[in-house]
Amino acid sequence: MAFNFLKVAMLLRHVFSPKKGKVITPATAKEVLRAQPGQEATVPVDFGLSRAEIRRSETTVVFVTEWGEVELALNILGKLADSDKVLFLDVEGQTYVVEVRGEHYYKLRYLGEMTPPTLEIDGVHMHNITGTTPDLDARRKVNSIRVKRGEKGLDICTGLGYTSIEALRRGASVITIEADLNVLQIAEHNPFSRDLAKAEIILGDAFQLLDELPGESFDFILHDPPVFAFAPNLYSLEFYLKLYKVLKPTGRLFHYTGAPGKHRGIDIQRGVSNRLRKAGFTVIRVEEEYGIVAVKR
């Protein structure tokens, strides 16, 4: 559902267009390499969500897809098999690693078959993957603020869209803000991000864009910022006052903090909690989710 009151949406709205093609994972590569030359077989693609037919020779493999045949050298798959990267075969027959190289390095990091991947930026993964998976972690975040059908939500820092998608599955409508176009372009190659097309995506700086939102507009907010060192303004009292303004009375906020510095005795949640209280929230620390639940008083 579009948010008609949001004029800025018409200016900065990102049309999320999942890429048409097949994702080749390290598990796919290993199955291809195990196949005998001259053998026809099927192998998993798209993280095991579907399968594709192949024809293997001594040096190459042909993937048979609904849009045509794509040939790959086996040495490419040999390198992929020993990595945590993924390849994309697009409908034009091009093959490339799902990554972006520039001022920063972005990649879709493989975590296993039937498991949503994480986004990695400059070697730092953007999801909690310790003892959990990105989708289960998103489910726990959404559970923590009890998102319900018919509610309107704001998801700050879209990433691969897992929390937005989980909220959408609960019957909520979601607007989500992402500052980095590279992140959304990576997400468009991820089969587990396809339902993000059902959300309203705004491209821009959340710190500034929140000033454009009417007050008391959202039933809930999911705030999943990068680590403090990457975006300190998204942990500031000034930003929390903006979150307070756009929430409805008794609206709920989940703020992911992670636990950076925990082993050095640093408690980032204490500072976050204190600033949220100053902004007017009632605060509950949620240790298992590495975050904080706050309610607008």
Side-chain angles (χ1 to χ4, degrees):
M1 178 186 296
F3 286 71
N4 296 326
F5 58 75
L6 192 59
K7 295 180 181 178
V8 72
M10 299 304 296
L11 300 175
L12 298 173
R13 183 172 179 266
H14 177 79
V15 179
F16 188 80
S17 301
K19 300 298 182 185
K20 295 181 180 179
K22 303 292 185 185
V23 176
I24 306 302
T25 69
T28 305
K30 289 174 182 176
E31 284 216 21
V32 171
L33 294 172
R34 283 195 292 266
Q36 296 299 314
Q39 177 183 350
E40 294 186 2
T42 63
V43 296
V45 292
D46 294 336
F47 300 91
L49 297 175
S50 59
R51 298 186 70 85
E53 294 182 3
I54 62 164
R55 294 196 308 272
R56 194 199 141 165
S57 71
E58 291 286 352
T59 58
T60 64
V61 61
V62 173
F63 285 85
V64 182
T65 70
E66 56 267 35
W67 67 84
E69 298 184 351
V70 182
E71 186 176 68
L72 274 178
L74 290 182
N75 63 345
I76 294 176
L77 294 181
K79 294 177 182 178
L80 178 66
D82 295 325
S83 77
D84 60 2
K85 299 181 180 181
V86 300
L87 290 175
F88 195 79
L89 309 182
D90 71 15
V91 294
E92 296 178 356
Q94 297 179 339
T95 306
Y96 49 88
V97 176
V98 183
E99 63 183 7
V100 175
R101 295 180 181 269
E103 182 180 356
H104 299 283
Y105 175 62
Y106 308 75
K107 77 175 181 184
L108 203 57
R109 178 179 168 185
Y110 178 70
L111 298 176
E113 293 295 275
M114 304 302 293
T115 301
T118 186
L119 172 68
E120 195 170 279
I121 303 176
D122 293 337
V124 179
H125 53 79
M126 298 293 113
H127 298 93
N128 178 18
I129 57 174
T130 303
T132 187
T133 57
D135 56 330
L136 293 177
D137 190 51
R139 192 174 305 161
R140 291 197 307 199
K141 291 171 183 174
V142 174
N143 282 343
S144 71
I145 52 174
R146 299 179 182 178
V147 171
K148 298 184 287 293
R149 180 171 298 279
E151 291 189 319
K152 293 181 179 179
L154 175 64
D155 182 18
I156 299 170
C157 301
T158 312
L160 298 181
Y162 297 148
T163 50
S164 286
I165 291 169
E166 186 62 33
L168 288 165
R169 288 173 178 162
R170 309 293 174 94
S173 54
V174 177
I175 183 169
T176 180
I177 300 173
E178 175 55 57
D180 194 336
L181 181 59
N182 292 311
V183 169
L184 296 175
Q185 290 174 339
I186 291 283
E188 288 176 340
H189 291 81
N190 180 17
F192 293 95
S193 297
R194 287 173 183 155
D195 283 346
L196 189 54
K198 300 175 183 178
E200 189 87 7
I201 305 174
I202 306 301
L203 184 63
D205 183 348
F207 190 87
Q208 298 176 353
L209 286 175
L210 257 65
D211 293 330
E212 306 296 328
L213 303 179
E216 300 187 354
S217 302
F218 297 99
D219 298 290
F220 65 89
I221 296 175
L222 294 157
H223 182 37
D224 193 353
V227 294
F228 182 87
F230 286 3
N233 60 337
L234 298 186
Y235 293 80
S236 66
L237 174 60
E238 185 179 358
F239 185 70
Y240 296 159
L241 288 167
K242 296 181 183 191
L243 296 181
Y244 190 89
K245 176 182 76 76
V246 300
L247 267 178
K248 295 178 181 179
T250 70
R252 298 97 64 206
L253 162 70
F254 177 81
H255 185 328
Y256 181 75
T257 61
K262 179 179 180 180
H263 299 296
R264 303 193 306 274
I266 298 173
D267 185 359
I268 188 173
Q269 287 190 346
R270 182 183 302 165
V272 169
S273 297
N274 289 340
R275 290 190 292 278
L276 286 170
R277 290 189 185 98
K278 288 180 181 179
F281 289 98
T282 298
V283 173
I284 303 170
R285 291 175 61 152
V286 188
E287 299 290 345
E288 186 177 357
E289 279 78 28
Y290 294 100
I292 294 169
V293 171
V295 179
K296 181 173 180 176
R297 291 200 294 262

